[in-house]
Amino acid sequence: MNAIEKGRAALVQWRASKPTNYYQSNEVLQDLVSRYASNTDIEGLASRLDAYGQVMATTAQPLVQRCNSIGHTPQLARFNGIGERVEDIVFDPSYHELGHLIYGSGVMAITGQPDRALEQAALVLLTSHHGEGGHVCPLACTAGMILVLQQHGHPWLQDRYLPGLTDPGRDRLHGSQFLTEVQGGSDVGANACRAVPVRDADETHPGVYRIYGEKWFCSVADAPLYLVTARPQDADAGTRGLGLFIVPRVLQADDLIDEQGPLPRSNDLNLRRLKDKLGTRGMASAEIDWNGALAYQVGDLQKGFINVVDVVLNMSRIFNALACSGSMYRAFIEASTFARHRTAFGQPIERFALVERSLASLYAEAVAAMASTFDLVHLGQVTRHERAGRIGRNMNKYWTSVRNTQMVRLAMEVLGGNGTIEDFSPLPRLYRDAMVTESWEGAHNVLVAQTRRDMRRYALHRDFLAMLRERLDACSGHLVEPLKMRLERQGEVADAIAADEDEGRNVELRGWIDQVMVTYQAVCLLELSGWQQQSDRAPLRTEVVEHLLRLHPESSMQRDAVWWPRL
């Protein structure tokens, strides 16, 4: 065998060496599940996750690759063959086949069941080994719709839609959520879509409205059900005046409509165009015009935006962090297996110090993201830590999305030029998806500003830091005291930022979030290691936590003097 044949044979061996089961190959994920699901049927849960982990690593892989590749992405079809307006989106068959695998796991059926929140998180994380993959965003949107209907929906809406939304079969429904408008972006209070009343709510039916206006960034535009914010007549300005509505994409005979005409038919909306996005290409995002689309009121109209934030966005931010965690671990898989089989200068490249450091960083960041995100899923079920969980979810979404992009890029560096080739590995697609997940569910600066408002108004940072101090007291090892001192310094900085009205302190706060999130993740990993030892499991090596802390040393968070030319 000549040198070229040996080189290609090594690549064949690399591909053959990759895990065929994403759950079995991830001991940290297995231990996180066992630790937090201690009161459930662990064997049954592990069996379900094991089966799904194998499907995601094998059957799903070519489907994801195809439905996200050029020539196979969604296409807009406004009219059918006889000229009827259908406002439809056509997908490659691989997209639907992949969807049957994912929804068939029952991931949506267990939404809102506290004792199965961890199982849902694990299923989403395993799915996210393919990045967004075309389906993780729809999962997040559907879960948010299920929750808001469970908690605030009229019984008529619950009976009509929840069975389909939680159905794992081929007749399932999925949802989407549209807030963004062209003039507003993250300034949701500037939204101008109008909701005109048709009939009031009563004991038997929800309030019925017609929606007029435009939504600028509508991901999962193919969904049968849209969750939409709009401003009722004479409502207050800002976010307080936004109501929440469910809009069916296609009208059926049993919808609450007065006019006559052929049914089913497209609701009164137009898909203006599909977005040509950098990433998440397998999932359809659109711009939509609302021309009096039939809509059903969800909950108290005066609490529409509150319900979006407290229910829908809280769920979506957890899903976003799970997506980033799964993507990071997949990046580690790709880079570490490649480095073991790729040789240079007579030895595998994993033996070179710079590559060793990259692989250690990829692993540390991936398991840290999993640990903090699963911890927040757990905190969502613990009432006494509700305030800590609220601020933690926002910071964790920001931090995991930032680190995801950096880690996928680092994995591409390990692969060298091969890392940029679309059909060589999934890394180019993971990188594009990572850039999009950074913006979803709150751009970085928006989440920083929200965190500061929560600090100033409610002192939530004190609850978060107090929780970490309490948990550190129960840990052991040489890292405990340094982490306590680090936490003390971070507490002093947080109080100073919260007490100052200067908007410029947001610059310092972003640096503070970077540092306190690393502290949080280190605590989660130390706790996991302690649990592993008590459970006769191989404990996470201390070097992993030490490396994570070295990657993110404490530094000055002072606001710099800035200047730039106005062009």
Side-chain angles (χ1 to χ4, degrees), residues 482 484-494 512 554:
K484 285 183 176 180
M485 291 189 291
R486 179 178 170 127
L487 200 57
E488 190 66 27
R489 292 189 293 269
Q490 290 167 352
E492 293 172 358
V493 172
W512 178 85
E554 290 184 287

Side-chain angles (χ1 to χ4, degrees), residues 231-529:
R231 197 176 305 279
Q233 292 175 318
D234 302 322
D236 294 339
T239 56
R240 291 184 179 181
L242 293 176
L244 188 61
F245 305 88
I246 278 188
V247 181
R249 184 165 61 87
V250 175
L251 294 177
Q252 306 291 340
D254 52 351
D255 273 309
L256 303 180
I257 52 179
D258 297 325
E259 71 269 21
Q260 301 298 314
L263 292 170
R265 64 173 175 83
S266 174
N267 204 344
D268 293 302
L269 55 92
N270 295 332
L271 301 181
R272 178 180 297 174
R273 63 168 183 158
L274 296 186
K275 298 281 195 181
D276 186 8
K277 296 171 297 185
L278 169 69
T280 69
R281 292 177 177 175
M283 180 272 300
S285 298
E287 298 166 17
I288 298 183
D289 294 318
W290 309 86
N291 310 311
L294 182 80
Y296 299 120
Q297 172 185 341
V298 179
D300 185 341
L301 288 184
Q302 296 182 349
K303 296 182 179 179
F305 184 71
I306 292 174
N307 290 337
V308 167
V309 174
D310 289 350
V311 180
V312 180
L313 287 184
N314 271 343
M315 171 65 83
S316 295
R317 285 169 181 168
I318 287 290
F319 272 56
N320 200 96
L322 290 167
C324 293
S325 302
S327 173
M328 275 188 265
Y329 201 82
R330 178 67 181 281
F332 165 70
I333 289 174
E334 296 296 322
S336 61
T337 54
F338 181 84
R340 188 169 69 250
H341 289 88
R342 184 70 164 181
T343 60
F345 308 104
Q347 62 180 332
I349 65 171
E350 68 177 2
R351 296 180 185 174
F352 293 101
L354 290 173
V355 177
E356 287 181 336
R357 190 176 193 278
S358 295
L359 298 179
S361 300
L362 286 164
Y363 182 73
E365 297 266 19
V367 297
M370 285 191 290
S372 61
T373 305
F374 271 74
D375 190 68
L376 286 164
V377 172
H378 173 68
L379 289 183
Q381 319 305 319
V382 181
T383 304
R384 76 185 185 95
H385 288 315
E386 179 181 354
R387 288 165 58 88
R390 172 175 167 176
I391 193 172
R393 281 187 293 271
N394 291 340
M395 296 192 299
N396 189 65
K397 185 273 162 183
Y398 152 72
W399 182 242
T400 54
S401 67
V402 168
R403 301 316 301 159
N404 181 31
T405 305
Q406 295 303 313
M407 289 303 102
V408 176
R409 182 187 180 280
L410 182 59
M412 294 172 73
E413 180 182 316
V414 173
L415 270 64
N418 290 316
T420 67
I421 306 303
E422 293 286 344
D423 60 357
F424 189 84
S425 81
L427 293 176
R429 176 168 48 79
L430 294 184
Y431 188 70
R432 292 195 305 272
D433 285 2
M435 291 301 301
V436 179
T437 53
E438 284 200 45
S439 298
W440 275 346
E441 316 310 339
H444 303 327
N445 292 340
V446 172
L447 288 169
V448 170
Q450 178 61 57
T451 298
R452 187 152 182 259
R453 284 193 292 271
D454 286 341
M455 292 167 68
R456 287 183 55 77
R457 293 177 183 174
Y458 311 114
L460 295 188
H461 63 290
R462 293 181 178 173
D463 296 89
F464 187 77
L465 297 174
M467 177 191 71
L468 292 187
R469 292 188 194 100
E470 176 185 325
R471 290 165 60 171
L472 265 177
D473 286 339
C475 293
S476 60
H478 68 278
L479 290 177
V480 172
E481 287 306 315
L483 281 172
K484 285 183 176 180
M485 291 189 291
R486 179 178 170 127
L487 200 57
E488 190 66 27
R489 292 189 293 269
Q490 290 167 352
E492 293 172 358
V493 172
D495 283 338
I497 292 174
D500 195 334
E501 296 182 0
D502 181 10
E503 191 273 340
R505 297 303 289 266
N506 282 347
V507 176
E508 298 171 61
L509 181 60
R510 180 160 176 170
W512 178 85
I513 293 174
D514 292 353
Q515 296 182 14
V516 81
M517 276 305 303
V518 174
T519 306
Y520 176 38
Q521 291 180 331
V523 172
C524 291
L525 291 176
L526 285 183
E527 289 179 321
L528 176 63
S529 179

Side-chain angles (χ1 to χ4, degrees), residues 90-155:
V90 179
F91 291 86
D92 187 89
S94 59
Y95 181 82
H96 296 300
E97 189 175 348
L98 178 62
H100 296 325
L101 295 178
I102 294 171
Y103 287 86
S105 69
V107 62
M108 290 294 96
I110 56 181
T111 304
Q113 299 180 27
D115 60 334
R116 302 189 73 178
L118 183 77
E119 178 179 354
Q120 184 176 63
L123 289 168
V124 173
L125 187 138
L126 291 169
T127 308
S128 301
H129 279 57
H130 299 292
E132 193 280 326
H135 284 282
V136 175
C137 178
L139 289 179
C141 292
T142 304
M145 181 175 286
I146 292 171
L147 276 184
V148 82
L149 281 176
Q150 288 174 338
Q151 297 180 23
H152 302 287
H154 190 284

